[in-house]
Amino acid sequence: MTGNRIFNMEHETMQGPSSVSLKGIPAMRESVARIVAETPVTDLHTHLYAPPFGSLLLWGIDELLTYHYLVAEVLRAADLPYETYWAMGKREQADLIWSELFIKRSPISESCRGVLTVLSKLGLDVASRDLEAYRTFFAAQRIPDHVDTVFRCANIESVVMTNDPFDPTERPVWEQGFQGDPRFHAALRIDPLLNDWTNSCAKLSAWGYDVQAALNNRTKAEVRRFLSDWTKRMKALYMAVSLPPAFAFPEESPRARLIEACVLPVARDHNAPFAMMIGVKRNVNPELKLAADGVGMSEVDAVARLCAQYPRNKFMVTMLARENQHELCVAARKFRNLFLFGCWWFLNNPSLIEEMTRMRFELLGLSVAPQHSDARVLDQVVYKWDHSRSIIAKVLADKYTDLIATGWTVDESEIRRDAARLLGGNFHEFLDRTL
Ligand code: FIX
Ligand code: ZN
């Protein structure tokens, strides 16, 4: 059926030459699912890299299987010392994860299911359980083409990378003049600067910035110059940091002082949001390495105070604790400079995505970015977006159903418009907004 279908209480109609069909709500639900699937995504926070970053761009079955979410799961399941796991090569680790989490047990966790969604959507036979066949498939792919294949398969228009000027592998790629790639935007990640000022100060000094541990005026000006240099060099869409549950503002700490004196002025000069990802307890069990982090409840009031005190700054916020989500939604109702995004990390599970998306729609309407992928392995965007899209569509269709019950009508062009906002439009609009 073509044309703009209109859904209302009694039936579904067609604008234009065609007539009426009586499918009603189920037809609307089908349209919403199809339109959300067809709407391209701007994935606003990932750990993916453009091909010129070389080995930083992870992809393929062994990377999928050794994703840190699965490392945490295998080290619960398998009876082996942590050191034994870390002494293995990647392929051997992947073999172990496949055997423990996919063969000896049904792979029902969200991260396991994700691997199967990726394989299936890339056309592989999941029922065969043939790990070697999957390896053969990936070995035949070539990275620029495979990026296109994955973006097409996930229906992604572009992703935002996480770009850390303190990272010794990444930094030279920028210094050698990486020219950008329209599929990969940059975000300036400043965790080392804000969470470990002592070491970062020494590095800035070695890179030619006139800084001292004591945050005097000269040092603050030099940190601003550093942030500005890298924002320009990367053409960063925003600056970002992850923060512990104890994050407080205002506070007599290097972090709070750097935010006020350096990050916010530079962000304002560039009209760039400052993204705060709050609630991660780093290194709860160091034996797990990249999988070592946990979650804790954070203080939404710290965010509210920043938004109130700096109304001309734009803040993007996601919080890791489920228990923070309601208060955070209410804070976003109070501050137009606060943009909520994503179901981060331990929240990126179907039951929690549904709960959060429903709550956000009910409290904030369409003014959020309901999801980001946080993908670390290129192919993961296929599952992260497939799984999230179907939940977003389900919740959206429930909301349209409630509207239709009042006598309101919803047509396909409006569904398309709303889906485009949720999957990228709102983010771009927030980036462009001047306060
Ligand atoms: O700090 C972050 O950006 C986190 O998302 C990551 O560090 C984390 O390891 C992750 O991959 C979560 O999904
Ligand atoms: Zn992340």
Side-chain angles (χ1 to χ4, degrees):
M1 201 191 277
T2 55
N4 190 26
R5 298 161 80 185
I6 303 172
F7 303 100
N8 60 30
M9 206 188 308
E10 307 296 328
H11 53 234
E12 167 204 0
T13 60
M14 283 269 295
Q15 225 175 30
S18 257
S19 56
V20 176
S21 96
L22 295 173
K23 289 188 208 144
I25 299 297
M28 177 275 289
R29 300 194 78 92
E30 271 173 43
S31 286
V32 173
R34 177 176 40 77
I35 289 169
V36 170
E38 285 170 1
T39 304
V41 159
T42 300
D43 191 345
L44 62 81
H45 169 60
T46 75
H47 297 265
L48 302 178
Y49 293 87
F53 288 85
S55 62
L56 284 172
L57 173 57
L58 306 180
W59 61 286
I61 184 65
D62 288 338
E63 296 293 353
L64 284 169
L65 286 171
T66 55
Y67 185 31
H68 69 76
Y69 291 26
L70 289 172
V71 171
E73 291 174 31
V74 79
L75 290 174
R76 290 179 59 75
D79 186 13
L80 88 170
Y82 296 117
E83 318 77 83
T84 310
Y85 176 81
W86 293 117
M88 292 173 174
K90 186 162 299 268
R91 192 186 170 96
E92 213 187 331
Q93 292 173 340
D95 284 339
L96 177 80
I97 289 174
W98 181 253
S99 152
E100 289 288 341
L101 299 181
F102 291 78
I103 304 300
K104 292 190 192 166
R105 300 159 177 84
S106 294
I108 63 168
S109 77
E110 176 64 4
S111 329
C112 285
R113 171 192 171 216
V115 175
L116 301 182
T117 302
V118 172
L119 297 176
S120 160
K121 294 263 169 196
L122 290 176
L124 295 160
D125 176 12
V126 168
S128 75
R129 303 186 183 189
D130 184 349
L131 179 53
E132 289 315 315
Y134 310 146
R135 285 186 168 131
T136 306
F137 166 83
F138 282 103
Q141 311 307 313
R142 289 290 155 262
I143 262 297
D145 296 341
H146 191 56
V147 172
D148 287 338
T149 305
V150 168
F151 272 47
R152 207 177 318 112
C153 189
N155 195 12
I156 284 184
E157 190 177 79
S158 60
V159 304
V160 182
M161 306 181 278
T162 294
N163 302 106
D164 181 355
F166 293 90
D167 182 320
T169 320
E170 168 162 5
R171 190 181 160 84
V173 183
W174 293 105
E175 286 173 332
Q176 284 150 25
F178 168 60
Q179 281 308 302
D181 177 326
R183 299 167 301 180
F184 294 84
H185 303 293
L188 174 56
R189 184 73 177 240
I190 50 176
D191 285 38
L193 182 76
L194 295 183
N195 295 332
D196 182 10
W197 167 242
T198 311
N199 284 315
S200 304
C201 174
K203 286 191 179 147
L204 256 60
S205 172
W207 295 330
Y209 295 92
D210 181 14
V211 290
Q212 289 175 1
L215 282 166
N216 54 30
N217 286 343
R218 174 71 185 155
T219 298
K220 288 177 190 164
E222 284 294 270
V223 173
R224 286 195 291 273
R225 185 164 72 86
F226 167 78
L227 292 171
S228 199
D229 287 348
W230 280 93
T231 301
K232 283 187 260 177
R233 176 175 281 149
M234 291 175 172
K235 300 188 186 72
L237 298 188
Y238 59 83
M239 282 189 259
V241 67
S242 74
L243 295 162
F247 172 63
F249 186 89
E251 189 184 55
E252 263 313 307
S253 63
R255 177 165 58 211
R257 291 169 67 199
L258 284 162
I259 289 175
E260 283 196 275
C262 307
V263 176
L264 296 181
V266 174
R268 213 166 37 235
D269 284 352
H270 292 269
N271 196 28
F274 177 41
M276 295 182 290
M277 307 176 68
I278 313 174
V280 52
K281 275 188 194 161
R282 294 286 181 201
N283 235 5
V284 168
N285 178 2
E287 302 274 20
L288 293 176
K289 300 197 177 180
L290 193 54
D293 304 336
V295 58
M297 290 250 281
S298 303
E299 234 209 288
V300 174
D301 282 345
V303 173
R305 281 193 284 267
L306 272 164
C307 292
Q309 207 169 313
Y310 295 96
R312 300 176 73 85
N313 270 100
K314 299 185 283 187
F315 298 91
M316 290 167 57
V317 172
T318 197
M319 281 187 158
L320 196 51
R322 179 192 190 186
E323 295 80 358
N324 280 132
Q325 301 308 323
H326 182 252
E327 196 182 348
L328 184 59
C329 279
V330 175
R333 290 176 65 87
K334 307 297 140 192
F335 297 103
R336 61 209 297 272
N337 55 342
L338 174 54
F339 182 71
L340 301 194
F341 71 96
C343 302
W344 185 22
W345 204 341
F346 312 114
L347 295 168
N348 196 347
N349 290 308
S351 61
L352 298 173
I353 299 169
E354 181 166 342
E355 171 183 293
M356 281 173 65
T357 303
R358 210 172 278 285
M359 182 160 59
R360 285 166 165 178
F361 286 0
E362 287 166 5
L363 280 162
L364 296 165
L366 288 159
S367 68
V368 296
Q371 193 54 301
H372 68 269
S373 78
D374 234 306
R376 278 183 179 266
V377 180
L378 173 67
D379 314 272
Q380 285 170 341
V381 289
V382 172
Y383 95 76
K384 302 243 188 189
W385 282 106
D386 180 71
H387 296 185
S388 287
R389 267 192 172 101
S390 60
I391 299 164
I392 293 165
K394 179 179 172 194
V395 179
L396 196 53
D398 287 350
K399 295 298 154 202
Y400 292 142
T401 303
D402 295 342
L403 297 185
I404 289 168
T406 71
W408 186 259
T409 62
V410 177
D411 74 32
E412 283 201 332
S413 71
E414 292 168 331
I415 299 171
R416 230 171 257 292
R417 173 202 62 196
D418 294 347
R421 282 193 168 283
L422 293 171
L423 298 184
N426 288 337
F427 170 57
H428 289 292
E429 207 170 277
F430 191 69
L431 290 178
D432 291 342
R433 182 171 293 173
T434 312
L435 295 171

